[in-house]
Amino acid sequence: HPSAMSRRRSRRRFLQAAVIAALATGPFGIPATAIAQATGSPTLTALLFYATDGDGADAPERIADTTKEATRYESVLREAAKARRFFLIGKHSAPVQSRFSIWLKPSPQFPLQLENTGTTADGGLSLYWILWQKEQLPTKDRELVKSTTVLTTKAPLVIVGPKWRSGRLVFVVRKDS
């Protein structure tokens, strides 16, 4: 018979997988990329990396394509976070909407709110963004940082987030065409 601790661990892994699966879809379980293709709008993708100089043993469960994404952004991550190793721990995509906030949730604890304020001549998106930290109480959310940026398919937005465990969280937001 499995121990109580083993059952809790299995339940926690199942819930983590369910949260990741739910965050990868839009309304009614439709993938965000399918919504973007149907509406002709670009998709924004937020990647959450755990940056550390250690072996990453204290990182939470990683997403399967960690190596691919970490390699793609390795130079940007090294420059921004000043760490040797990076682990992809969260990913979420959403279609760009012109009149509504775009919520990217690569982690339930650190949602990213984006407002589309227009487009640039070269096809970039002008965005106002806020990185939030969810607290235990729903009314206790707090802003960690906010700013404006222009996002293009060639230049992602990199946000060096808070220290966490023995490393730091790093957010990469990219515009997918």
Side-chain angles (χ1 to χ4, degrees):
H1 295 290
S3 69
M5 183 176 257
S6 171
R7 284 192 303 268
R8 279 194 299 269
R9 193 174 305 127
S10 292
R11 191 176 311 130
R12 187 172 357 151
R13 283 191 181 134
F14 172 78
L15 289 173
Q16 285 174 338
V19 166
I20 289 169
L23 291 177
T25 61
F28 309 111
I30 301 169
T33 52
I35 294 171
Q37 287 173 349
T39 61
S41 65
T43 302
L44 296 181
T45 299
L47 305 167
L48 177 57
F49 290 93
Y50 175 60
T52 182
D53 284 330
D55 62 1
D58 61 342
E61 193 165 320
R62 298 169 193 124
I63 293 179
D65 63 355
T66 297
T67 307
K68 177 183 161 192
E69 295 290 4
T71 302
R72 182 176 180 183
Y73 296 108
E74 183 174 8
S75 62
V76 172
L77 291 168
R78 283 192 194 284
E79 184 179 325
K82 311 283 190 258
R84 290 184 292 132
R85 302 193 65 200
F86 304 93
F87 302 96
L88 181 64
I89 59 172
K91 183 176 183 178
H92 181 227
S93 297
V96 175
Q97 300 174 11
S98 59
R99 297 185 187 154
F100 303 100
S101 288
I102 304 159
W103 286 92
L104 294 175
K105 300 174 184 176
S107 159
Q109 189 177 359
F110 296 100
L112 187 60
Q113 178 184 4
L114 302 112
E115 300 279 338
N116 181 4
T117 58
T119 57
T120 61
D122 64 350
L125 288 175
S126 181
L127 298 169
Y128 171 76
W129 58 268
I130 304 171
L131 177 62
W132 294 90
Q133 181 174 10
K134 293 274 190 192
E135 299 293 337
Q136 296 296 331
L137 300 172
T139 58
K140 296 281 283 180
D141 298 347
R142 65 183 179 124
E143 288 181 8
L144 293 178
V145 65
K146 62 183 171 181
S147 187
T148 59
T149 192
V150 173
L151 192 62
T152 65
T153 53
K154 296 177 185 172
L157 167 65
V158 178
I159 305 166
V160 178
K163 288 186 178 183
W164 190 63
R165 298 186 181 177
S166 64
R168 183 173 291 279
L169 296 177
V170 182
F171 298 81
V172 175
V173 180
R174 69 176 184 224
K175 177 186 172 202
D176 301 322
S177 50

